[in-house]
Amino acid sequence: MNNFSLLILPGDGIGPEVMKQVVRVIDWFEQRREILFDVEEDLVGGCAYDKYGTPLSDLTMKKAKSVDAVLLGAVGGPTYEKLDFDKQPERGLLRLRKEMDLYANLRPAQCFDALADFSSLKKDIVSGLDIMIVRELTSGIYFGEPRGIEGQGENRVGINTTRYTTDEIRRVARSAFELARKRNNMLCSMEKANVMESGVLWREEVKYVHENEYPDVKLSHMYADAGAMQLVRWPKQFDVIVTDNLFGDILSDCAAMLTGSLGMLPSASIGSKMESGLPKALYEPVHGSAPDIAGLGEANPCACILSFAMALRYSFSKRDEATLLEKAVQNVLAEGYRTKDLMQASDGKLVSTFEMGDAIINNLEKMR
Ligand code: IPM
Ligand code: MG
């Protein structure tokens, strides 16, 4: 298969600028590798609200469900913060995740050699770090009922519910075990089984899947708070981590920062297989919309480009091409190309978003 459809949703803030570089990379693969992409672009987040009065229109939702994969830039910005909850840019993203049922969110935290000095931790603790957090993405406290704000005046109550079914836990556990098998065969499951029943069930079901389907994978369990502590103490003890939606949100930010460069980290959100045999999938950088630098041409396009590399690997089974693209990014970093976020005094050559895209494409050309 060499022909795929893509829906590109650049979104807000720096989303459109970094996505432009991804489009150039996509063109390169079309021309040099003869993988053809049928690309359509649309709006999500604040820009969708400005145009349609909603952060994700029904039509865009329908398109997202019909394509082979969705690429998303970033959503959000200060002008939208005062909107009603259901109109906020983030709701567009959450709707995509929920309605596409993208239950497994893969967040690699990889420390690039050229950037090991950037971490707030000592270099030997992070250099060579390569862990994968698998965050459950369509359930838990993000979506559980009841939810809301009840009552009046000084007697109001804010309510959210953590709720997990057996099936929801087992399917994300399977995704994590599968990944572990392709890596170093170790999985650590994190919850708060000491205080939460949903955590007790989580631990029981992960154990069940382990015993019955993946006994060869080395499984451990940790309370999520201890996990956070271990992540900053000695992150290299981990290979794959699987955890619920809220803990995964927090732990993955923590893991991302270990690498010292949020601008480098991609993510994939994967659901069940479609009729085509490809999984439902959405790829997005871990960084946000960074409104303070939007439009300045300073943003780092690497995370978004690496998200496309994840699409090549996990959606289109183009592993060699994914590796090639990842290699190109590593090479340009090693050669000293630095967007502003990666600059440290007297280290490397400051480049713009576009120039970083150039450097990566030139490197692809060199390796061709
Ligand atoms: C993330 C973000 C989102 C989340 C926000 C933007 C809704 O923090 O993808 O980690 O909380 O899931
Ligand atoms: Mg987050």
Side-chain angles (χ1 to χ4, degrees):
M1 226 174 128
N2 261 332
N3 205 335
F4 304 101
S5 57
L6 279 177
L7 176 65
I8 294 193
L9 304 172
D12 306 318
I14 60 170
E17 349 175 5
V18 294
M19 195 60 86
K20 263 195 195 123
Q21 302 313 310
V22 178
V23 170
R24 298 176 67 204
V25 169
I26 292 174
D27 285 346
W28 188 88
F29 278 96
E30 291 206 297
Q31 281 165 27
R32 300 301 199 202
R33 291 287 155 134
E34 280 157 28
I35 309 172
L36 299 181
F37 295 98
D38 201 347
V39 179
E40 198 177 342
E41 241 187 78
D42 208 338
L43 304 176
V44 66
C47 58
Y49 172 78
D50 290 339
K51 185 147 179 211
Y52 304 124
T54 165
L56 187 78
S57 75
D58 291 344
L59 187 63
T60 313
M61 187 64 241
K62 210 172 140 203
K63 282 185 204 164
K65 283 183 181 161
S66 72
V67 292
D68 292 328
V70 179
L71 302 184
L72 188 137
V75 295
T79 46
Y80 306 107
E81 271 159 23
K82 296 232 162 62
L83 291 177
D84 285 349
F85 202 58
D86 64 322
K87 297 268 189 291
Q88 287 182 5
E90 290 76 9
R91 303 311 299 177
L93 181 57
L94 294 173
R95 182 174 174 202
L96 280 166
R97 290 173 178 173
K98 186 69 182 171
E99 288 195 25
M100 292 173 74
D101 200 19
L102 306 170
Y103 58 85
N105 182 210
L106 279 46
R107 300 193 163 187
Q110 206 191 339
C111 185
F112 292 83
D113 281 347
L115 305 178
D117 282 328
F118 284 46
S119 177
S120 51
L121 297 191
K122 293 191 194 82
K123 191 170 173 174
D124 68 308
I125 293 182
V126 297
S127 72
L129 179 72
D130 179 7
I131 60 183
M132 175 73 87
I133 297 196
V134 180
R135 165 190 179 192
E136 198 292 323
L137 201 61
T138 52
S139 184
I141 202 163
Y142 273 59
F143 299 98
E145 302 278 348
R147 66 184 298 160
I149 300 177
E150 291 175 2
Q152 299 294 327
E154 283 171 23
N155 295 313
R156 295 195 301 160
V157 191
I159 302 163
N160 290 95
T161 303
T162 300
R163 180 178 185 279
Y164 271 106
T165 65
T166 292
D167 181 57
E168 286 167 345
I169 300 168
R170 288 187 188 175
R171 65 182 186 170
V172 73
R174 287 191 185 101
S175 304
F177 280 117
E178 289 291 336
L179 278 165
R181 270 190 181 158
K182 292 189 188 118
R183 296 168 47 102
N184 295 319
N185 220 30
M186 283 174 9
L187 178 64
C188 181
S189 169
M190 297 187 186
E191 26 57 15
K192 286 280 289 177
N194 51 348
V195 282
M196 295 164 71
E197 282 78 2
S198 59
V200 173
L201 187 73
W202 183 279
R203 190 174 285 217
E204 286 175 6
E205 294 302 336
V206 172
K207 277 188 182 159
Y208 176 88
V209 174
H210 178 238
E211 280 161 22
N212 289 284
E213 298 169 42
Y214 301 91
D216 52 299
V217 178
K218 192 165 173 282
L219 174 68
S220 58
H221 305 271
M222 241 180 229
Y223 297 137
D225 54 342
M229 190 257 287
Q230 290 299 334
L231 261 178
V232 291
R233 191 185 73 88
W234 186 239
K236 285 187 246 180
Q237 70 185 280
F238 298 111
D239 177 22
V240 181
I241 293 171
V242 64
T243 188
D244 82 4
N245 204 342
L246 181 61
F247 295 140
D249 180 45
I250 298 166
L251 293 169
S252 65
D253 261 18
C254 174
M257 211 52 222
L258 294 177
T259 70
S261 41
L262 211 50
M264 295 301 304
L265 296 176
S267 78
S269 304
I270 312 256
S272 54
K273 281 210 165 73
M274 300 183 281
E275 256 171 48
S276 61
L278 304 184
K280 291 179 207 148
L282 178 146
Y283 299 87
E284 58 178 316
V286 167
H287 64 67
S289 58
D292 50 320
I293 60 161
L296 300 180
E298 286 177 6
N300 183 351
C302 291
C304 206
I305 289 174
L306 290 170
S307 300
F308 177 63
M310 288 188 92
L312 287 169
R313 173 169 287 117
Y314 294 108
S315 277
F316 310 137
S317 301
K318 299 284 178 198
R319 290 181 194 86
D320 294 348
E321 283 78 5
T323 308
L324 184 80
L325 183 52
E326 285 159 359
K327 193 93 218 309
V329 173
Q330 271 163 27
N331 288 346
V332 302
L333 290 178
E335 285 166 16
Y337 290 91
R338 301 280 185 272
T339 41
K340 200 167 173 192
D341 57 307
L342 302 179
M343 275 305 267
Q344 270 186 342
S346 75
D347 173 27
K349 171 169 179 272
L350 178 63
V351 294
S352 66
T353 309
F354 186 85
E355 287 166 333
M356 188 57 120
D358 260 357
I360 291 168
I361 288 165
N362 290 338
N363 206 275
L364 285 170
E365 269 300 297
K366 258 194 252 167
M367 289 190 292
R368 185 161 84 87

